[in-house]
Amino acid sequence: LTGHPGPEHKAEAINSYDNTLVELDGFLGSLFRVLRLETRPALLIFTSDHGENLFDDGRNRFMHALRTPSSWDTQVPLVIWSNAAYQALNPEAIQHLKARSAEPVSHRDLFPTLLDLAGIEWANAASQASLASPSWAPGKRLLETFEGLGPDFDELRRQEQGCTSATRAG
């Protein structure tokens, strides 16, 4: 597909997007296989800068970075993986990360986590707790918009779930 497909091309748009995910999955899988065999401590952190609207609800939105954010283009994966050597060096951090695997996190949590997991100390570290720290707690997940900090992600998602339910029921 080229350009901006209309909702009549939803299946093709989703197929095109899914093909990129298949390639990404293969790439990450190859990294995991290499790092799993590594005897030195290895840590892999993967996230995306954005999700994608793929005609997911009655608004028929497509792509990302639209003026008004949606939960579809703001919800992204976060994968934190380590090999056995890293886990042996940092068992407490790994334990905290595993305990938080279902918690609502944000990109704002990523930088302190990266520094912490790399063993780097920084000024005001206590004010920005890492996901691997015992002091981390979920916070508001404010979205960055064209106008600055925008709506809370969780509130946006609740609103859209109501909209999607109403659209499906109608």
Side-chain angles (χ1 to χ4, degrees):
L1 292 173
T2 59
H4 189 292
E8 66 276 9
H9 297 289
K10 178 179 180 174
E12 293 94 338
I14 290 172
N15 185 58
S16 178
Y17 185 75
D18 286 350
N19 285 337
T20 65
L21 296 180
V22 167
E23 288 298 315
L24 174 62
D25 186 54
F27 174 72
L28 290 175
S30 67
L31 281 177
F32 291 140
R33 285 188 293 280
V34 168
L35 294 176
R36 187 175 289 119
L37 299 174
E38 180 60 56
T39 57
R40 295 171 294 177
L43 179 71
L44 181 123
I45 299 177
F46 171 81
T47 190
S48 179
D49 60 334
H50 62 79
E52 201 72 28
N53 291 290
L54 294 170
F55 308 107
D56 302 294
D57 58 31
R59 297 174 295 177
N60 286 322
R61 299 178 91 181
F62 180 70
M63 302 263 322
H64 61 274
L66 303 173
R67 185 151 282 314
T68 306
S70 75
S71 63
W72 304 105
D73 62 351
T74 56
Q75 184 173 348
V76 297
L78 173 61
V79 176
I80 302 176
W81 179 91
S82 61
N83 68 358
Y86 186 93
Q87 292 173 28
L89 272 178
N90 300 289
E92 189 176 315
I94 298 300
Q95 179 184 5
H96 290 300
L97 289 170
K98 286 181 179 180
R100 299 200 169 100
S101 64
E103 293 286 344
V105 301
S106 168
H107 276 138
R108 290 176 184 258
D109 298 309
L110 192 55
F111 192 69
T113 302
L114 288 167
L115 292 174
D116 184 26
L117 294 175
I120 298 170
E121 295 183 20
W122 71 99
N124 299 319
S127 68
Q128 294 181 302
S130 155
L131 292 169
S133 163
S135 61
W136 180 85
K140 280 195 164 264
R141 300 188 294 168
L142 298 177
L143 300 172
E144 187 78 26
T145 68
F146 290 102
E147 287 78 35
L149 283 181
D152 178 89
F153 171 80
D154 298 300
E155 180 58 33
L156 176 68
R157 193 164 188 199
R158 279 189 290 279
Q159 290 172 0
E160 288 184 348
Q161 285 173 339
C163 173
T164 303
S165 298
T167 303
R168 288 183 184 151

